[in-house]
Amino acid sequence: MSKKLVGQPIRRREDFRFLRGEGRYVDDIRRAGELSAAFVRSPHAHAIVKSINADAARAAPGVVGVFTGADLAADNYGSIPCGWVVTDRNGEPHKAVPHYPMTRDRARYVGDQVAVVVAETDAEARDAAELVEVDYEALDAVIDLTTAMEAVQIHDEAPNNLCYDWELGDEAQVDAAFAKAHHVSKLELVNNRLIPSPMEPRAALAEYDNGTDSYTLWSTSQNPHMLRWMLCGNVTDIPETKLRVIAPDVGGGFGVKIYCYVEETVCLWAAKRVRRPVRWTADRTEACLADAHARDHLTRVEMALDEEGRFLGLKVHTIANLGAYLSNYATSIPTYFYATLLAGPYATPAIYANVHAVYTNTSPVDAYRGAGRPEAAYLLERIADIAAHDLGMDPVEIRRRNFIQPDQFPYETPVALTYDIGDYEASLDKALSMIDYDGFAARKEEAKARGKLRGIGLSSYIEACGVAPSSLISRFGAGAGLWESAEVRFNATGTVTVLTGTHAHGQGHETTFGQLVADALGVPYDDVEIVHGDTSQIPMGMGTYGSRSMAVGGSAIVKACDKVILKGRKIAAHLLEAAVDDITFSDGNFSVSGTDHSKTMAEVALAAYVPVDFPDDLEPGLDENAFYDPLNFTYPAGTHICEVEIDPDTGVTEIVDWVAVDDFGTVINPLIVEGQIHGGLAQGVGQAMLENGVYDHESGQLITGSFMDYCMPRADNLPSFRIGYTETACTHNPLGVKGCGEAGAIAAPPTLISAIANALDVTHIEMPATSEKVWRIAQNGAAAK
């Protein structure tokens, strides 16, 4: 019997080409006669575009054309859509606003696209863009969330700058719980704005074929089929059969590359207009200005508790920033991916959330690693710590007392979800043991002797992954089903090609999907090829985001493998002159039960393409498709604990230990899962201590428009993370997997803020807990003593 690969820490095979510099990204692709595009972006946060004079730019060296929103409008290029309709508390759809590929009348944030220059080289395009003269009439900018609904109106379609006033839960039930509470803990907090910063900036290359009246678009996209759908079904009148979207190697996404953006849309239009390929690659400042941002909530949260510290009710009011326009999924992030997770791992009987989502003169806000789940976990874990402090309880004990117990599953929360399985106390106990929680007091005293402030903090999180089932999310307002597709194709030589609708941009799909298929079909791992990212090659799929690839895409692959085996049994039965019911399959061999007669998978695959004397009801070929639509989300959960030491003289915080114990169900490749945890933790630590997207409240200028001002985590900001697992296998997908890509980004912010607050002996500190902020609190604490 061959050794099974699922569960083995196999190194990522795709890494070898990346480490050798042989990856193929959009900016590596070259087309004959290509041109470069450079965008003229508004320097004002809010301004009427009175006129545009491009004469000097058109006369500049190398310039092929200068175009504006009016040119695209003349060719019926419409508004970029929001694909999720949120119904407000009055039963009305959210206030949608136009988002044209280039603004036609008014700039609504610094970086808004006003015109585009197409030239022979990138340098010539950028130089000419500076020559475009735009006459602006500056208007007041709306930046401050606390006053956005009383400020100047940004869009005619959205009075008071309100996109929606939305609610979830039973407010009357929550009020009743608060009325009988022994204590109510309260907290106002900020979930700071983040600027996602994948290693590869966004890029696009568009080519038009006049002979076939068709287009090819190379894009740094996480979901090429959805990009094509949006472009063909909404923005343009190009038939889907005439647009091929290719997402080659993509250098990180984290959600920011899910969307249909202005730049790739304009490149597509321009390629036909000038009859030459047109490319655009963002520089880092453009990325900071024009990529979708994330988070940016102001929240007031209240928790009602009884005398024993049990949660009776939770009340949440959030103002969520959507930016100047609606990005493709923006409406869903502060609603269905946020409020539905407010139960967390706790048996809180009554929960009510009210969300006001507002437009501001800032970059659009949408999903970023975790997408609503980090915001929910952060407020829930922070209020749990506050409640423990208020009642004089250990933060561990208040969590343990309120956990949903294993015998309560499936557990229906008050906020629309049903958890299928979990054991939250097991993860907590393992994390406490790994960190030596009982020995913390001694470590704190030892640090004090060295002049350091030592703190410990924890969080117990849950998230919803897989973004499914289609029937549920369609009721939530999604404009697409979120199933996944796969095709498993045997070649005549016995090698296997797997076509998947998911997309890999750092997740290691070529490795993990290869492990799955090699085990399922009993073929050598090196004989499995994974193909993705090209709408002309792969069946329609929904892409990669929301930790869905293995749970949804992997399940589709397994279903396709099952169909291959079923077809293989019929072929083997013919070859072995046996009944199909007598054929068994194991370890790559088809055998006749009770005999030593067998055929290998390779022999069956060859016979499938050399169909000698096949019966009439047996088709040649060994190539099967499958679609998988999950029955439910998957629900990873876990407990993270960290310890910090703070130098009170400088405010510098050092993370000295971190344990992460997660329940991801079945783990396909522990090495890749550990890498995913580390990456998520790094981004969560960045949010908690360093990162903050800041706009000037008067001018609307982005102050953190480069890495000189937007502080990213470095290696020396991070500890050597220690990883542990518990396992309760998902009950409703064939693999038992749950999803792991976002867990670190969800758990890290509340864990780290809890530890810093503990070290400073305060109940809360706002993110990011910068050295200056920590130093001021430490100095005030020292003065008070």
Side-chain angles (χ1 to χ4, degrees):
M1 180 178 292
S2 62
K3 182 179 179 181
K4 293 296 184 183
L5 298 181
V6 168
Q8 299 301 314
I10 297 173
R11 290 189 176 186
R12 300 192 340 166
R13 60 184 179 187
E14 49 266 70
D15 284 351
F16 293 103
R17 72 173 186 273
F18 295 141
L19 292 170
R20 292 193 298 259
E22 295 170 354
R24 188 167 172 79
Y25 301 89
V26 171
D27 205 52
D28 295 321
I29 297 165
R30 291 287 178 260
R31 306 301 291 174
E34 69 178 41
L35 303 169
S36 291
F39 286 86
V40 178
R41 300 180 183 276
S42 171
H44 301 283
H46 196 193
I48 296 171
V49 179
K50 298 179 69 176
S51 65
I52 300 174
N53 184 343
D55 291 345
R58 289 190 177 98
V63 171
V64 175
V66 181
F67 309 105
T68 68
D71 295 304
L72 276 78
D75 284 342
N76 296 318
Y77 269 58
S79 176
I80 295 173
C82 176
W84 202 297
V85 178
V86 167
T87 302
D88 70 16
R89 63 194 301 178
N90 297 315
E92 298 293 326
H94 71 261
K95 300 298 187 296
V97 299
H99 184 195
Y100 296 114
M102 288 190 290
T103 186
R104 300 176 181 179
D105 57 355
R106 187 187 301 190
R108 291 178 169 87
Y109 69 99
V110 174
D112 205 352
Q113 296 84 355
V114 176
V116 66
V117 175
V118 178
E120 296 290 344
T121 68
D122 181 65
E124 289 172 332
R126 290 177 181 271
D127 286 346
E130 295 183 4
L131 300 176
V132 176
E133 298 177 2
V134 184
D135 184 10
Y136 295 100
E137 180 183 330
L139 304 172
D140 290 340
V142 181
I143 303 296
D144 189 346
L145 277 183
T146 62
T147 60
M149 286 182 281
E150 292 80 42
V152 62
Q153 192 162 314
I154 299 171
H155 296 276
D156 294 341
E157 298 82 357
N160 305 116
N161 297 319
L162 183 65
C163 182
Y164 52 77
D165 175 358
W166 179 87
E167 64 181 358
L168 182 65
D170 189 328
E171 186 175 17
Q173 184 184 16
V174 170
D175 287 343
F178 273 71
K180 67 178 183 181
H182 169 71
H183 177 75
V184 175
S185 293
K186 301 179 180 180
L187 179 65
E188 293 189 1
L189 52 78
V190 174
N191 206 289
N192 43 317
R193 176 179 280 246
L194 301 180
I195 302 176
S197 302
M199 184 179 294
E200 177 201 25
R202 287 190 299 114
L205 171 62
E207 185 173 47
Y208 175 70
D209 185 330
N210 191 53
T212 60
D213 189 29
S214 62
Y215 302 77
T216 301
L217 174 65
W218 290 265
S219 172
T220 51
S221 176
Q222 296 178 220
N223 50 356
H225 271 292
M226 288 297 291
L227 175 56
R228 184 178 73 165
W229 188 0
M230 289 184 187
L231 285 169
C232 295
N234 297 274
V235 184
T236 79
D237 56 6
I238 301 170
E240 277 188 279
T241 55
K242 295 294 186 179
L243 175 58
R244 178 186 183 186
V245 177
I246 302 171
D249 288 328
V250 173
F254 314 123
V256 73
K257 294 176 181 174
I258 298 173
Y259 319 117
C260 176
Y261 280 99
V262 163
E263 293 86 0
E264 57 206 352
T265 306
V266 171
C267 286
L268 195 67
W269 175 86
K272 182 175 182 179
R273 179 64 173 258
V274 302
R275 294 296 202 270
R276 289 171 64 181
V278 177
R279 80 159 54 249
W280 169 81
T281 301
D283 62 30
R284 191 56 68 178
T285 295
E286 279 188 297
C288 289
L289 284 172
D291 285 3
H293 292 184
R295 315 295 195 244
D296 205 349
H297 286 191
L298 294 178
T299 296
R300 182 177 69 252
V301 54
E302 301 175 64
M303 177 72 83
L305 303 101
D306 69 11
E307 296 88 342
E308 297 179 342
R310 289 188 173 84
F311 301 160
L312 300 177
L314 181 71
K315 188 182 298 183
V316 174
H317 177 257
T318 292
I319 304 174
N321 197 341
L322 298 179
Y325 304 102
L326 290 179
S327 182
N328 297 150
Y329 309 104
T331 53
S332 68
I333 306 307
T335 52
Y336 293 109
F337 290 95
Y338 166 62
T340 56
L341 272 299
L342 289 174
Y346 307 116
T348 308
I351 300 174
Y352 175 76
N354 177 221
V355 178
H356 288 84
V358 299
Y359 293 107
T360 63
N361 293 119
T362 63
S363 178
V365 175
D366 209 319
Y368 170 62
R369 200 169 194 165
R373 282 75 55 85
E375 296 93 311
Y378 182 66
L379 76 85
L380 189 57
E381 291 306 287
R382 289 280 61 233
I383 197 64
D385 275 1
I386 299 293
H389 175 271
D390 291 350
L391 296 179
M393 295 178 65
D394 188 291
V396 170
E397 179 55 32
I398 201 167
R399 288 169 169 81
R400 194 187 300 276
R401 191 164 296 185
N402 286 284
F403 277 153
I404 301 162
Q405 296 302 305
D407 61 2
Q408 292 179 273
F409 293 100
Y411 180 82
E412 186 175 343
T413 75
V415 279
L417 298 182
T418 300
Y419 304 160
D420 64 323
I421 195 169
D423 188 346
Y424 310 133
E425 202 158 1
S427 295
L428 174 65
D429 287 340
K430 187 167 184 175
L432 293 171
S433 174
M434 289 175 65
I435 201 79
D436 182 21
Y437 189 78
D438 291 339
F440 171 72
R443 295 191 294 275
K444 185 177 181 70
E445 286 302 310
E446 187 275 332
K448 184 177 179 180
R450 293 184 282 107
K452 299 293 181 70
L453 306 175
R454 190 162 182 132
I456 191 167
L458 79 156
S459 70
S460 295
Y461 76 94
I462 190 169
E463 62 164 323
C465 296
V467 195
S470 296
S471 59
L472 176 62
I473 60 101
S474 64
R475 291 199 301 272
F476 285 173
L482 293 177
W483 40 265
E484 197 46 78
S485 65
E487 179 180 350
V488 175
R489 177 192 303 161
F490 262 96
N491 304 304
T493 57
T495 59
V496 183
T497 301
V498 179
L499 309 174
T500 173
T502 64
H503 186 276
H505 36 275
Q507 293 84 355
H509 291 175
E510 293 177 34
T511 302
T512 52
F513 287 168
Q515 290 175 258
L516 275 185
V517 173
D519 275 7
L521 299 178
V523 298
Y525 170 69
D526 291 335
D527 286 351
V528 181
E529 178 193 23
I530 308 298
V531 179
H532 61 86
D534 186 340
T535 60
S536 71
Q537 292 190 52
I538 60 174
M540 183 169 180
M542 294 293 109
T544 293
Y545 44 85
S547 301
R548 71 187 300 271
S549 292
M550 187 57 70
V552 188
S555 293
I557 290 172
V558 167
K559 286 187 66 177
C561 287
D562 290 343
K563 291 183 178 181
V564 166
I565 293 168
L566 183 61
K567 174 75 174 291
R569 288 178 62 220
K570 295 177 182 178
I571 298 172
H574 168 70
L575 297 176
L576 295 167
E577 299 180 340
V580 173
D581 290 345
D582 291 334
I583 300 296
T584 61
F585 178 76
S586 178
D587 278 338
N589 291 290
F590 294 93
S591 304
V592 181
S593 297
T595 76
D596 60 357
H597 298 165
S598 65
K599 292 288 182 181
T600 65
M601 179 62 88
E603 290 173 315
V604 168
L606 178 61
Y609 295 101
V610 187
V612 178
D613 297 326
F614 268 27
D616 293 341
D617 62 349
L618 184 57
E619 295 179 350
L622 198 54
D623 181 348
E624 298 291 341
N625 294 286
F627 290 80
Y628 179 71
D629 195 351
L631 297 174
N632 194 357
F633 294 89
T634 66
Y635 297 100
T639 292
H640 289 210
I641 308 176
C642 83
E643 293 188 28
V644 301
E645 285 189 357
I646 295 171
D647 183 340
D649 294 329
T650 63
V652 171
T653 299
E654 180 186 5
I655 303 171
V656 294
D657 199 4
W658 193 299
V659 300
V661 178
D662 300 287
D663 177 2
F664 299 136
T666 304
V667 173
I668 304 298
N669 184 317
L671 186 63
I672 287 178
V673 169
E674 186 167 339
Q676 288 289 312
I677 298 169
H678 285 197
L681 286 170
Q683 286 172 293
V685 167
Q687 177 174 14
M689 285 207 312
L690 302 165
E691 299 181 49
N692 198 22
V694 179
Y695 286 87
D696 181 83
H697 278 209
E698 293 298 321
S699 67
Q701 295 294 322
L702 179 64
I703 296 172
T704 53
S706 75
F707 289 163
M708 291 293 290
D709 300 296
Y710 187 83
C711 189
M712 299 281 286
R714 272 69 169 176
D716 61 355
N717 297 124
L718 305 174
S720 182
F721 300 111
R722 296 191 287 137
I723 308 299
Y725 303 105
T726 58
E727 181 180 326
T728 58
C730 176
T731 61
H732 55 79
N733 69 51
L735 295 168
V737 298
K738 294 185 178 182
C740 66
E742 296 164 302
I746 294 168
T751 304
L752 184 50
I753 291 298
S754 175
I756 293 172
N758 178 258
L760 294 170
D761 195 23
V762 296
T763 55
H764 184 63
I765 180 173
E766 292 287 10
M767 297 191 294
T770 62
S771 294
E772 179 188 1
K773 194 181 295 183
V774 169
W775 174 80
R776 290 185 183 279
I777 294 173
Q779 295 305 303
N780 288 339
K785 294 175 181 178

